Amino acid sequence: MTFISHRLDTFDSRDFREAIQKQSTLANPVNLSVGVPEELTPEHVKAAGIHAILSDKTTYTPANGLLELRQAIADKLNAENNIPCTAESVTVVPGLTTGQLLVYLAVLDPGDEVIIFDPYYPPYPHLATMVGARVVYVSTLPSFQPDLATLEASITDRTKLIVINTPNNPSGAVYPEETLRKLATIAEKNNILLISDEIYEQFVYEGKHFSIGSIYPNTITMNGFSKAHAMTGWRLGYMTGPQEIIDAINELQQYTVFSSSSIAQHAAIAALKHQTPQVLQKYKKKRDMVVSRLQRSGYSVMGAQGAFYAFVKAPHNLTDIEFVNRATEHGLILLAGRAFSQLHGYVRISYGADLALLEKGLDILDVIAKQLP
Ligand code: PLP
């Protein structure tokens, strides 16, 4: 007899938990498993958070967030992403991931189908299944770009939602504007809602980021402060989309999160006011080094045009778990591909880490590639 709900029957976050555990048990781990940028929260953002505490801005805020923050977000989305929105059509959430759950709760009924491109950010399918929806995976192999014919063939009269994530975690793929325009046409023809997770929009090394919400109004554009402003622990995200859906999410927020952290919101206002130092060139250098060194070691690397991940196939036909275990024996922590994909034999390498750690990790990956099977 268990008290645990069947809702959790297929919920599985063990790969992440194990990676975190390894970090604390290995002596000097080379941790390339975490999706965290190496930068620290900028000083002016920290100062704004501290100021919020010292000036007692520590009470609940409106469920959808402080007006000043929502206005700053709306200005950013209009100016940088060409997404027409107002402070009213923006809602602030305690991290994009919680925001994703709120969207699912607001729009999905049991039996509705959600299309998710494989590989994917792990919460997408788990949260969808948890609310009773059916996940339909569309593989993006071998290029990690969506194949639109396969996408169309996967649409049924139960398809309610397609989740898009560009630049992509874990493949690093950046979807071209042309692909996204065609995808929007398909969604419109079939009356499908889109979620566009754009949390890595600043990290583009090849091509250009394009927001599908600028051309397709039935898009919920989601973003946050974790990666762009090095604020993963502050837990703050936001979204905009059709007013009816934003209103429903605000209704839900009122009795679930109640309000996002007031301190984080004041810090986020400062983050949007003053440009965070540009890190793109540094990340491009890291990306170039990771790709060329992995290729030299014999790994095949596709995608990797953006974000800070490479999703690579294990050598010697090792399973992802065998590969991750072999890496752990050398002190290197990676995430098993099964957390991100229905495909077998992949691992995710994060190059959010600093250069010195990355080089150590790449040395170990080279040794593993050259070991006998
Ligand atoms: N979306 C994607 C695609 C991610 O990879 C991550 C973190 O790794 C997030 C969202 C997390 O966003 P947040 O910290 O705002 O929950």
Side-chain angles (χ1 to χ4, degrees):
M1 158 68 186
T2 172
F3 289 115
I4 305 303
S5 155
H6 287 301
R7 205 175 291 121
L8 266 73
D9 283 352
T10 59
F11 206 94
D12 180 3
S13 59
R14 87 196 115 146
D15 294 302
F16 272 73
R17 267 186 285 116
E18 281 171 13
I20 293 165
Q21 201 189 346
K22 276 180 203 154
Q23 164 80 2
S24 59
T25 49
L26 288 177
N28 275 315
V30 179
N31 191 354
L32 302 188
S33 73
V34 288
V36 178
E38 64 177 288
E39 292 69 36
L40 303 172
T41 303
E43 290 302 323
H44 68 281
V45 178
K46 287 197 268 190
I50 291 165
H51 181 71
I53 295 172
L54 294 178
S55 55
D56 298 314
K57 293 176 176 165
T58 53
T59 54
Y60 295 128
T61 73
N64 58 347
L66 294 166
L67 177 60
E68 188 184 354
L69 176 58
R70 285 185 287 115
Q71 187 59 58
I73 293 168
D75 292 346
K76 180 248 179 253
L77 289 168
N78 277 289
E80 293 178 15
N81 305 87
N82 289 317
I83 297 173
C85 64
T86 61
E88 195 56 26
S89 64
V90 167
T91 190
V92 173
V93 288
L96 189 157
T97 313
T98 304
Q100 181 97 17
L101 175 62
L102 291 169
V103 175
Y104 284 170
L105 287 169
V107 306
L108 294 175
D109 284 313
D112 283 346
E113 291 177 7
V114 180
I115 292 183
I116 293 175
F117 294 111
D118 184 341
Y120 42 78
Y121 177 50
Y124 299 158
H126 287 283
L127 297 177
T129 310
M130 199 177 81
V131 302
R134 201 173 89 78
V135 174
V136 176
Y137 295 100
V138 172
S139 170
T140 58
L141 272 187
S143 63
F144 295 135
Q145 290 291 327
D147 176 61
L148 299 178
T150 316
L151 171 68
E152 277 200 280
S154 308
I155 292 172
T156 73
D157 53 7
R158 292 303 308 259
T159 310
K160 194 153 201 187
L161 189 59
I162 301 172
V163 182
I164 299 164
N165 170 219
T166 173
N168 186 270
N169 175 12
S171 72
V174 173
Y175 301 170
E177 176 175 337
E178 194 195 345
T179 304
L180 292 165
R181 285 189 178 276
K182 287 182 186 155
L183 207 153
T185 307
I186 294 169
E188 185 160 28
K189 194 171 81 185
N190 294 281
N191 194 26
I192 295 171
L193 185 67
L194 302 179
I195 285 182
S196 179
D197 176 343
E198 306 187 4
I199 200 135
Y200 297 104
E201 68 174 332
Q202 268 90 348
F203 299 90
V204 175
Y205 321 112
E206 278 172 54
K208 212 165 161 271
H209 177 70
F210 180 75
S211 291
I212 196 166
S214 64
I215 53 162
Y216 184 58
N218 280 335
T219 303
I220 301 167
T221 302
M222 308 193 66
N223 208 326
F225 293 85
S226 287
K227 318 285 170 169
H229 301 278
M231 292 175 71
T232 50
W234 295 75
R235 308 309 304 129
L236 209 65
Y238 57 86
M239 66 179 100
T240 189
Q243 192 64 48
E244 176 196 30
I245 296 175
I246 299 300
D247 289 346
I249 285 162
N250 290 339
E251 179 103 21
L252 270 168
Q253 292 224 77
Q254 195 63 67
Y255 278 177
T256 50
V257 303
F258 217 86
S259 98
S260 297
S261 154
S262 62
I263 300 153
Q265 290 187 61
H266 283 287
I269 292 170
L272 287 177
K273 262 195 197 139
H274 305 282
Q275 270 301 325
T276 304
Q278 259 308 342
V279 294
L280 190 64
Q281 280 316 314
K282 179 162 82 176
Y283 276 75
K284 184 173 183 313
K285 247 191 200 157
K286 290 200 284 184
R287 192 286 304 250
D288 291 348
M289 183 187 78
V290 167
V291 171
S292 73
R293 284 208 48 190
L294 284 173
Q295 284 173 339
R296 240 187 297 143
S297 299
Y299 295 92
S300 135
V301 188
M302 300 298 284
Q305 298 102 7
F308 38 79
Y309 308 107
F311 200 57
V312 300
K313 190 133 181 57
H316 316 308
N317 281 326
L318 292 175
T319 68
D320 56 350
I321 301 298
E322 287 166 342
F323 187 88
V324 164
N325 288 343
R326 210 173 268 202
T328 307
E329 285 162 20
H330 289 80
L332 170 64
I333 311 177
L334 299 175
L335 274 171
R338 68 176 181 184
F340 302 88
S341 178
Q342 308 293 301
L343 309 166
H344 296 291
Y346 284 79
V347 292
R348 189 192 75 167
I349 299 163
S350 166
Y351 53 93
D354 67 44
L355 208 60
L357 201 70
L358 257 183
E359 282 182 337
K360 277 191 197 162
L362 290 163
D363 289 344
I364 295 171
L365 287 165
D366 187 56
V367 169
I368 297 175
K370 289 177 179 151
Q371 275 173 347
L372 285 177

